[in-house]
mmCIF file of all heavy atoms in Angstrom:
data_model
loop_
_atom_site.group_PDB
_atom_site.id
_atom_site.type_symbol
_atom_site.label_atom_id
_atom_site.label_comp_id
_atom_site.label_asym_id
_atom_site.label_seq_id
_atom_site.Cartn_x
_atom_site.Cartn_y
_atom_site.Cartn_z
ATOM 1 N N MET I 1270 5.439 -35.681 -38.412
ATOM 2 C CA MET I 1270 4.087 -36.255 -38.389
ATOM 3 C C MET I 1270 3.174 -35.466 -39.328
ATOM 4 O O MET I 1270 3.145 -34.241 -39.297
ATOM 5 C CB MET I 1270 3.511 -36.202 -36.960
ATOM 6 C CG MET I 1270 4.317 -36.974 -35.953
ATOM 7 S SD MET I 1270 3.748 -38.683 -35.733
ATOM 8 C CE MET I 1270 2.426 -38.443 -34.538
ATOM 9 N N HIS I 1280 -22.999 -44.178 -37.971
ATOM 10 C CA HIS I 1280 -23.517 -44.411 -36.614
ATOM 11 C C HIS I 1280 -24.824 -45.185 -36.717
ATOM 12 O O HIS I 1280 -25.757 -44.720 -37.384
ATOM 13 C CB HIS I 1280 -23.760 -43.037 -35.960
ATOM 14 C CG HIS I 1280 -23.884 -43.040 -34.472
ATOM 15 N ND1 HIS I 1280 -24.884 -43.710 -33.792
ATOM 16 C CD2 HIS I 1280 -23.131 -42.434 -33.516
ATOM 17 C CE1 HIS I 1280 -24.731 -43.506 -32.485
ATOM 18 N NE2 HIS I 1280 -23.672 -42.739 -32.292
ATOM 19 N N SER I 1306 -17.214 -40.913 -47.294
ATOM 20 C CA SER I 1306 -15.840 -40.497 -47.622
ATOM 21 C C SER I 1306 -15.569 -40.553 -49.122
ATOM 22 O O SER I 1306 -14.439 -40.273 -49.549
ATOM 23 C CB SER I 1306 -14.829 -41.421 -46.924
ATOM 24 O OG SER I 1306 -15.092 -41.529 -45.561
ATOM 25 N N ASN I 1307 -16.585 -40.960 -49.894
ATOM 26 C CA ASN I 1307 -16.385 -41.158 -51.339
ATOM 27 C C ASN I 1307 -15.283 -42.167 -51.629
ATOM 28 O O ASN I 1307 -14.492 -42.001 -52.559
ATOM 29 C CB ASN I 1307 -16.085 -39.814 -52.031
ATOM 30 C CG ASN I 1307 -17.215 -38.825 -51.843
ATOM 31 O OD1 ASN I 1307 -18.372 -39.142 -52.135
ATOM 32 N ND2 ASN I 1307 -16.918 -37.654 -51.317
ATOM 33 N N GLY I 1321 -15.605 -54.461 -26.402
ATOM 34 C CA GLY I 1321 -15.296 -54.811 -25.016
ATOM 35 C C GLY I 1321 -15.590 -56.255 -24.700
ATOM 36 O O GLY I 1321 -14.732 -56.992 -24.214
ATOM 37 N N ILE I 1330 -14.634 -63.944 -30.409
ATOM 38 C CA ILE I 1330 -13.420 -63.130 -30.398
ATOM 39 C C ILE I 1330 -13.010 -62.912 -31.861
ATOM 40 O O ILE I 1330 -13.634 -63.446 -32.763
ATOM 41 C CB ILE I 1330 -12.269 -63.781 -29.569
ATOM 42 C CG1 ILE I 1330 -11.885 -65.143 -30.129
ATOM 43 C CG2 ILE I 1330 -12.670 -63.880 -28.105
ATOM 44 C CD1 ILE I 1330 -10.607 -65.712 -29.519
ATOM 45 N N GLY I 1341 -15.819 -56.278 -47.356
ATOM 46 C CA GLY I 1341 -15.125 -56.348 -48.627
ATOM 47 C C GLY I 1341 -13.767 -55.666 -48.596
ATOM 48 O O GLY I 1341 -13.192 -55.354 -49.634
ATOM 49 N N LEU I 1377 -9.843 -47.266 -41.335
ATOM 50 C CA LEU I 1377 -11.200 -47.273 -40.788
ATOM 51 C C LEU I 1377 -11.113 -47.625 -39.306
ATOM 52 O O LEU I 1377 -10.450 -48.606 -38.943
ATOM 53 C CB LEU I 1377 -12.026 -48.334 -41.534
ATOM 54 C CG LEU I 1377 -13.427 -48.625 -40.999
ATOM 55 C CD1 LEU I 1377 -14.366 -47.454 -41.257
ATOM 56 C CD2 LEU I 1377 -13.974 -49.895 -41.660
ATOM 57 N N GLY I 1379 -13.434 -47.699 -35.434
ATOM 58 C CA GLY I 1379 -14.747 -47.555 -34.790
ATOM 59 C C GLY I 1379 -14.908 -48.593 -33.709
ATOM 60 O O GLY I 1379 -13.922 -49.076 -33.165
ATOM 61 N N ALA I 1384 -24.244 -55.340 -25.703
ATOM 62 C CA ALA I 1384 -24.251 -55.638 -24.272
ATOM 63 C C ALA I 1384 -25.581 -56.207 -23.803
ATOM 64 O O ALA I 1384 -25.613 -57.016 -22.877
ATOM 65 C CB ALA I 1384 -23.917 -54.373 -23.476
ATOM 66 N N THR I 1395 -19.747 -58.920 -16.196
ATOM 67 C CA THR I 1395 -18.668 -58.692 -17.160
ATOM 68 C C THR I 1395 -18.191 -57.238 -17.144
ATOM 69 O O THR I 1395 -16.999 -56.988 -17.305
ATOM 70 C CB THR I 1395 -19.084 -59.106 -18.591
ATOM 71 O OG1 THR I 1395 -20.266 -58.404 -18.969
ATOM 72 C CG2 THR I 1395 -19.329 -60.601 -18.668
ATOM 73 N N TYR I 1404 -7.885 -58.283 -6.473
ATOM 74 C CA TYR I 1404 -7.893 -57.529 -5.220
ATOM 75 C C TYR I 1404 -9.180 -56.745 -4.971
ATOM 76 O O TYR I 1404 -9.401 -56.293 -3.862
ATOM 77 C CB TYR I 1404 -6.694 -56.581 -5.175
ATOM 78 C CG TYR I 1404 -5.374 -57.317 -5.182
ATOM 79 C CD1 TYR I 1404 -4.525 -57.275 -6.281
ATOM 80 C CD2 TYR I 1404 -4.989 -58.086 -4.078
ATOM 81 C CE1 TYR I 1404 -3.314 -57.964 -6.282
ATOM 82 C CE2 TYR I 1404 -3.786 -58.774 -4.073
ATOM 83 C CZ TYR I 1404 -2.954 -58.703 -5.186
ATOM 84 O OH TYR I 1404 -1.763 -59.390 -5.176
ATOM 85 N N LEU I 1422 -17.134 -39.907 -1.907
ATOM 86 C CA LEU I 1422 -15.825 -39.303 -1.647
ATOM 87 C C LEU I 1422 -15.820 -37.838 -2.092
ATOM 88 O O LEU I 1422 -15.272 -36.958 -1.402
ATOM 89 C CB LEU I 1422 -14.748 -40.101 -2.394
ATOM 90 C CG LEU I 1422 -13.295 -39.759 -2.096
ATOM 91 C CD1 LEU I 1422 -12.965 -39.922 -0.614
ATOM 92 C CD2 LEU I 1422 -12.352 -40.647 -2.921
ATOM 93 N N ALA I 1455 -30.534 -41.902 -30.538
ATOM 94 C CA ALA I 1455 -30.510 -42.141 -29.084
ATOM 95 C C ALA I 1455 -31.421 -43.282 -28.664
ATOM 96 O O ALA I 1455 -32.492 -43.497 -29.236
ATOM 97 C CB ALA I 1455 -30.894 -40.861 -28.342
ATOM 98 N N GLN I 1456 -30.959 -43.995 -27.634
ATOM 99 C CA GLN I 1456 -31.729 -45.116 -27.083
ATOM 100 C C GLN I 1456 -32.981 -44.623 -26.347
ATOM 101 O O GLN I 1456 -34.035 -45.225 -26.451
ATOM 102 C CB GLN I 1456 -30.820 -45.892 -26.130
ATOM 103 C CG GLN I 1456 -31.424 -47.157 -25.555
ATOM 104 C CD GLN I 1456 -30.379 -48.036 -24.900
ATOM 105 O OE1 GLN I 1456 -29.179 -47.755 -24.956
ATOM 106 N NE2 GLN I 1456 -30.798 -49.113 -24.276
ATOM 107 N N LYS I 1465 -37.980 -37.399 -10.731
ATOM 108 C CA LYS I 1465 -37.987 -38.781 -11.222
ATOM 109 C C LYS I 1465 -36.622 -39.443 -10.956
ATOM 110 O O LYS I 1465 -36.562 -40.612 -10.562
ATOM 111 C CB LYS I 1465 -38.308 -38.788 -12.719
ATOM 112 C CG LYS I 1465 -38.790 -40.129 -13.162
ATOM 113 C CD LYS I 1465 -39.685 -40.113 -14.377
ATOM 114 C CE LYS I 1465 -40.037 -41.575 -14.674
ATOM 115 N NZ LYS I 1465 -39.964 -41.914 -16.075
ATOM 116 N N CYS I 1481 -27.632 -43.593 -13.895
ATOM 117 C CA CYS I 1481 -26.803 -44.577 -14.600
ATOM 118 C C CYS I 1481 -27.153 -44.636 -16.079
ATOM 119 O O CYS I 1481 -28.321 -44.558 -16.454
ATOM 120 C CB CYS I 1481 -27.039 -45.969 -14.026
ATOM 121 S SG CYS I 1481 -26.878 -46.065 -12.234
ATOM 122 N N PHE I 1484 -27.481 -50.339 -20.423
ATOM 123 C CA PHE I 1484 -26.802 -51.304 -21.284
ATOM 124 C C PHE I 1484 -27.357 -51.093 -22.688
ATOM 125 O O PHE I 1484 -28.552 -50.855 -22.851
ATOM 126 C CB PHE I 1484 -27.075 -52.739 -20.817
ATOM 127 C CG PHE I 1484 -26.478 -53.057 -19.472
ATOM 128 C CD1 PHE I 1484 -27.277 -53.404 -18.394
ATOM 129 C CD2 PHE I 1484 -25.103 -53.007 -19.287
ATOM 130 C CE1 PHE I 1484 -26.715 -53.697 -17.153
ATOM 131 C CE2 PHE I 1484 -24.535 -53.295 -18.045
ATOM 132 C CZ PHE I 1484 -25.343 -53.638 -16.981
ATOM 133 N N GLU I 1549 -9.951 -23.454 -22.573
ATOM 134 C CA GLU I 1549 -10.720 -22.261 -22.951
ATOM 135 C C GLU I 1549 -11.011 -22.229 -24.453
ATOM 136 O O GLU I 1549 -11.869 -21.465 -24.902
ATOM 137 C CB GLU I 1549 -9.972 -20.988 -22.505
ATOM 138 C CG GLU I 1549 -8.619 -20.728 -23.162
ATOM 139 C CD GLU I 1549 -7.474 -21.641 -22.653
ATOM 140 O OE1 GLU I 1549 -7.690 -22.427 -21.704
ATOM 141 O OE2 GLU I 1549 -6.372 -21.576 -23.239
ATOM 142 N N GLU I 1555 -17.834 -33.858 -25.806
ATOM 143 C CA GLU I 1555 -18.537 -35.098 -25.464
ATOM 144 C C GLU I 1555 -17.670 -35.793 -24.430
ATOM 145 O O GLU I 1555 -16.538 -36.200 -24.721
ATOM 146 C CB GLU I 1555 -18.693 -35.987 -26.704
ATOM 147 C CG GLU I 1555 -19.732 -35.499 -27.695
ATOM 148 C CD GLU I 1555 -21.177 -35.734 -27.236
ATOM 149 O OE1 GLU I 1555 -21.471 -36.832 -26.711
ATOM 150 O OE2 GLU I 1555 -22.003 -34.823 -27.398
ATOM 151 N N LYS I 1578 -16.617 -27.778 -8.424
ATOM 152 C CA LYS I 1578 -17.575 -26.760 -8.870
ATOM 153 C C LYS I 1578 -18.389 -27.133 -10.114
ATOM 154 O O LYS I 1578 -19.272 -26.374 -10.531
ATOM 155 C CB LYS I 1578 -16.826 -25.447 -9.188
ATOM 156 C CG LYS I 1578 -16.085 -24.844 -8.021
ATOM 157 C CD LYS I 1578 -17.010 -23.924 -7.240
ATOM 158 C CE LYS I 1578 -16.250 -22.942 -6.368
ATOM 159 N NZ LYS I 1578 -15.832 -23.465 -5.088
ATOM 160 N N THR I 1617 -16.980 -39.343 -31.097
ATOM 161 C CA THR I 1617 -16.219 -38.705 -32.175
ATOM 162 C C THR I 1617 -17.150 -38.314 -33.320
ATOM 163 O O THR I 1617 -17.052 -37.216 -33.880
ATOM 164 C CB THR I 1617 -15.119 -39.671 -32.666
ATOM 165 O OG1 THR I 1617 -14.343 -40.082 -31.538
ATOM 166 C CG2 THR I 1617 -14.211 -39.018 -33.695
ATOM 167 N N VAL I 1635 -24.336 -26.473 -31.937
ATOM 168 C CA VAL I 1635 -23.635 -25.423 -31.195
ATOM 169 C C VAL I 1635 -23.111 -24.438 -32.242
ATOM 170 O O VAL I 1635 -22.243 -24.784 -33.046
ATOM 171 C CB VAL I 1635 -22.467 -26.011 -30.371
ATOM 172 C CG1 VAL I 1635 -21.655 -24.908 -29.708
ATOM 173 C CG2 VAL I 1635 -22.987 -27.008 -29.354
ATOM 174 N N GLY I 1648 -13.136 -48.697 -17.852
ATOM 175 C CA GLY I 1648 -12.927 -49.317 -16.547
ATOM 176 C C GLY I 1648 -12.677 -48.265 -15.489
ATOM 177 O O GLY I 1648 -13.281 -47.193 -15.506
ATOM 178 N N GLY I 1650 -9.942 -46.608 -15.140
ATOM 179 C CA GLY I 1650 -8.878 -45.655 -15.355
ATOM 180 C C GLY I 1650 -8.123 -45.641 -16.663
ATOM 181 O O GLY I 1650 -7.023 -45.110 -16.714
#
Side-chain angles (χ1 to χ4, degrees):
Chain I
M1270 299 267 276
H1280 198 298
S1306 308
N1307 300 307
I1330 60 170
L1377 173 70
T1395 56
Y1404 297 110
L1422 189 58
Q1456 185 166 355
K1465 200 154 179 224
C1481 308
F1484 294 118
E1549 64 285 355
E1555 286 285 317
K1578 299 272 199 277
T1617 306
V1635 175

